[in-house]
Amino acid sequence: MPSTALPPDARPALVLLHSSMSSRAQWSDLIAQQTSRFRCIAVDLLGYGKSPFPADIGAAFSLAHEADAVNAALAAHLDPAEPFHLVGHSYGGATALRIARQMPARVLSLALFEPVAFHLLPADDAARMEIEAVVADIMRADTAHDATRLFIDYWNRPGVFASLPAVQQDKLSGQIAKVKLDFQALLGEPATLADLAALDMPALVLYGLNSPASTRRLAERLAAALPNAGALQTKGGHMAPISHAAVVNAALADFLQGAEVGSPA
């Protein structure tokens, strides 16, 4: 059977954005599987992996700052007008939506696993009110350790943080300051579901069977708002791209193959 691998210079670009308290390494399995077909570019979001913590921004931090940092990183890999496929998980998914709105002509396809873009929902939506209550608890927690416990247990299940080794608890707690900025950026973004009407590239919104009701509801609303989107439920919860990577990566691979077949030559 002939190889389906493309010459390195002919492969389309695939940009991958990770969740909060993670890094570009979360996509290593997907990259290994797709490197023959795509030039995979996984970016560390600000304050994670090898990317610096956002400096001198404070209360003004927004998704625009995050998107600008991603675009600056991409400039080292892509020509200024070069198109790319875009995948994002959680906070990385919300950042991907911001990037797609900024440069829709360059985004060939958009695949999102539970983007936490709660700003898209009206203030009285149950999903938005649920996450705003969680954020309020995190913000008023007495210690970074307590705030991190609330964050980890919400996205997984109660008791998960306590079950982790102390060294891992400390590492995660060291990232909670950026998580707070992430939430600030998410809830401060002015976009609404109506603003997504112009994003007519092929899109897929994935969500986990065991995820919180807030992200499942948002995923359903988002899939309905994007003009050319489908929705897909997978095994696992909000962190399924890590905990159930084989399942999620297979779904992403199928979507990307279809999107690439439909891309203009």
Side-chain angles (χ1 to χ4, degrees), residues 36 63 79 114 162 190 197 199 221 231:
S36 65
L63 279 181
D79 292 334
E114 294 192 15
L199 302 184
R221 297 285 302 276

Side-chain angles (χ1 to χ4, degrees), residues 181-203:
L181 287 183
D182 295 349
F183 277 127
Q184 173 186 305
L186 291 167
L187 294 175
E189 182 75 356
T192 67
L193 286 170
D195 295 321
L196 304 184
L199 302 184
D200 60 355
M201 69 284 292

Side-chain angles (χ1 to χ4, degrees), residues 200-215:
D200 60 355
M201 69 284 292
L204 177 65
V205 183
L206 303 100
Y207 58 100
L209 174 65
N210 301 317
S211 295
S214 61
T215 45

Side-chain angles (χ1 to χ4, degrees), residues 175-261:
Q175 296 179 314
I176 195 64
K178 179 55 185 0
V179 169
K180 292 179 178 180
L181 287 183
D182 295 349
F183 277 127
Q184 173 186 305
L186 291 167
L187 294 175
E189 182 75 356
T192 67
L193 286 170
D195 295 321
L196 304 184
L199 302 184
D200 60 355
M201 69 284 292
L204 177 65
V205 183
L206 303 100
Y207 58 100
L209 174 65
N210 301 317
S211 295
S214 61
T215 45
R216 285 187 282 114
R217 176 172 172 78
L218 176 58
E220 293 167 354
R221 297 285 302 276
L222 181 59
L226 290 166
N228 193 18
L232 179 64
Q233 184 182 76
T234 73
K235 295 180 179 179
H238 184 67
M239 299 308 295
I242 297 173
S243 65
H244 293 72
V247 173
V248 174
N249 290 345
L252 290 172
D254 286 346
F255 169 74
L256 289 166
Q257 181 177 7
E260 185 57 22
V261 168

Side-chain angles (χ1 to χ4, degrees), residues 55-159:
D56 302 323
I57 296 176
F61 185 71
S62 69
L63 279 181
H65 293 108
E66 198 74 69
D68 287 347
V70 171
N71 290 331
L74 294 181
H77 302 275
L78 303 176
D79 292 334
E82 185 175 356
F84 53 90
H85 297 275
L86 183 57
V87 173
H89 170 215
S90 191
Y91 177 64
T95 303
L97 274 169
R98 169 78 193 206
I99 291 170
R101 288 193 295 109
Q102 288 182 189
M103 52 181 72
R106 289 185 64 188
V107 178
L108 295 170
S109 72
L110 183 63
L112 309 168
F113 194 99
E114 294 192 15
V116 287
F118 292 104
H119 57 272
L120 295 172
L121 301 176
D124 60 350
D125 188 281
R128 179 162 182 163
M129 290 191 291
E130 178 179 321
I131 199 65
E132 286 182 340
V134 172
V135 172
D137 288 342
I138 289 172
M139 295 297 185
R140 61 173 170 253
D142 291 333
T143 66
H145 187 278
D146 288 342
T148 307
R149 173 180 53 79
L150 291 166
F151 178 77
I152 295 296
D153 286 2
Y154 177 76
W155 292 120
N156 296 273
R157 64 182 185 279

